[in-house]
Amino acid sequence: MAYYVLGIVIVALLFDFINGFHDSANSIATIVGTRVLTPLAAVIWAAIFNFLALFYTGTGLAKAIGAGYIDISIVDANVIMASLMGAIIWNIITWWFGIPSSSSHALIGGYAGAAVAKAGWSALLWGPKWIETLSGIILSPASGMMAGFLLMTFVCIAFKNVSYQGSKSFFRIAQLTSSAMLSLAHGGNDAQKTMGIIVALLVATQTSFVGQTGWEQHLYVKDMSVIPIWVELSAYTMISMGTLFGGWRIVHTMGTRITKLRPVGGFCAETGGALVIMFATHFKIPVSTTHTITGAIVGVGATTRLSAVRWGLAGRIVWAWVITIPAALLLAALSYKSLALLVTL
């Protein structure tokens, strides 16, 4: 059992890496699209601030993820493994087609799908966390859009008497700050989701590690109230490494195809998106950083003229958001049924 649990922890950290890889566009698309930083410099910048989120965010969201969606009593190693498999497969599919879908919703959908495959629909806890998550599919991009629109409008008024060259120079520098802020928000919200899944696994298998010595003692976790420091460090390290390797297909979609951005627009989109994500993290709400920053980019583009936004592309992205939870749920359910035949716990 110990090696199976350790293997699942490694798969969870692989998911965290893929999350950073898949979602790197959230942090760097605008700063690359405005040519403030080169792609290599941008991913290094984003990865650093993804990791630094460890020192300010806390673990409240991680605890909510582990226990807020399904009945923790039905969780076992196969449920967690299947959850991760469903989320990873969906992430790879959407990465391949360059669709900026939500890794967070893929993980939550996978978690639910594996639980339903084991114990039926009664395994789901229909309560606040599901309401927050499903509402967030609409509210996070809408909030990002509103924040981006309002910030861009304010900046245009505040800088109306400043020369174009002067404002361009200022916002090229300011965008470094806004990009760092967005990366900090991204790391703080998304790394905690993987942390929550790992701790749910360790709590579910705790009887296998009571009184153990050596490396196995570190796999003993009594309940969801404590997140081991090694879980925190591992999660933030892997999401940062994933960001470092980047997801260039999605960068192209978000940085140039939704709307054309200048440094001032990049600053407003990143700042607006970061504020929305930080607000959600503070209240332990798992939102999609992809949804939020995409909405902010659309909001900034709409201040120029509505035709500046490629609404057809934005619409296809929205459809990808809508089907992410059901798709990951189905993939995870199929994965659980397969594992149940292969692995006896």
Side-chain angles (χ1 to χ4, degrees), residues 7-344:
I8 297 172
V9 170
I10 292 171
V11 173
L13 294 175
L14 174 63
F15 168 80
D16 205 27
F17 177 88
I18 294 172
N19 189 344
F21 184 90
H22 187 275
D23 288 2
S24 61
N26 300 339
S27 301
I28 72 173
T30 53
I31 204 166
V32 171
T34 58
R35 295 176 174 81
V36 170
L37 289 179
T38 64
L40 177 60
V43 293
I44 293 173
W45 185 255
I48 290 171
F49 285 94
N50 271 177
F51 184 79
L52 290 178
L54 166 68
F55 301 102
Y56 98 94
T57 305
T59 58
L61 179 55
K63 296 169 185 175
I65 287 289
Y69 291 93
I70 68 174
D71 182 354
I72 195 70
S73 67
I74 65 98
V75 174
D76 60 21
N78 280 349
V79 167
I80 298 297
M81 186 63 170
S83 304
L84 293 165
M85 289 172 65
I88 288 172
I89 292 168
W90 182 248
N91 269 359
I92 291 173
I93 291 171
T94 52
W95 169 81
W96 180 259
F97 289 101
I99 301 170
S101 67
S102 169
S103 297
S104 304
H105 289 162
L107 182 60
I108 292 167
Y111 197 27
V116 169
K118 179 183 179 182
W121 291 101
S122 61
L124 302 184
L125 300 177
W126 296 111
K129 300 314 297 180
W130 278 109
I131 294 172
E132 291 168 359
T133 299
L134 297 177
S135 299
I137 294 176
I138 298 172
L139 294 179
S140 62
S143 299
M145 186 184 302
M146 182 64 68
F149 183 89
L150 292 176
L151 279 169
M152 189 66 180
T153 300
F154 172 79
V155 166
C156 287
I157 294 172
F159 283 78
K160 65 179 179 180
N161 295 322
V162 179
S163 68
Y164 171 76
Q165 196 59 42
S167 63
K168 181 179 178 181
S169 299
F170 173 81
F171 283 107
R172 285 182 69 86
I173 297 172
Q175 201 181 351
L176 293 173
T177 302
S178 62
S179 178
M181 183 176 167
L182 181 61
S183 297
L184 203 68
H186 172 227
N189 197 278
D190 279 28
Q192 288 197 64
K193 295 157 189 170
T194 301
M195 288 159 51
I197 291 295
I198 291 175
V199 175
L201 167 68
L202 299 182
V203 170
T205 58
Q206 61 180 283
T207 55
S208 299
F209 304 106
V210 175
Q212 293 291 338
T213 58
W215 65 269
E216 292 183 31
Q217 67 181 307
H218 300 293
L219 298 180
Y220 174 71
V221 177
K222 184 178 181 180
D223 55 50
M224 291 296 302
S225 65
V226 177
I227 308 291
I229 187 63
W230 70 264
V231 174
E232 291 189 63
L233 286 170
S234 299
Y236 280 104
T237 298
M238 292 306 290
I239 199 168
S240 301
M241 292 298 293
T243 296
L244 193 61
F245 281 87
W248 305 115
R249 293 171 183 265
I250 300 171
V251 167
H252 175 62
T253 297
M254 296 184 68
T256 61
R257 291 179 62 196
I258 296 175
T259 188
K260 295 294 183 181
L261 291 176
R262 295 177 292 147
V264 59
F267 169 81
C268 292
E270 289 165 345
T271 302
L275 290 174
V276 172
I277 296 164
M278 287 178 172
F279 177 86
T281 303
H282 176 74
F283 287 100
K284 305 178 182 63
I285 301 172
V287 298
S288 167
T289 53
T290 305
H291 294 191
T292 307
I293 188 59
T294 303
I297 292 172
V298 170
V300 167
T303 61
T304 304
R305 60 185 189 281
L306 291 179
S307 61
V309 177
R310 295 183 173 91
W311 294 104
L313 176 63
R316 289 194 293 275
I317 291 171
V318 169
W319 276 112
W321 297 347
V322 170
I323 67 172
T324 288
I325 289 180
L329 188 151
L330 177 61
L331 290 168
L334 293 173
S335 297
Y336 178 82
K337 293 297 185 182
S338 300
L339 284 172
L341 295 174
L342 299 172
V343 181
T344 302

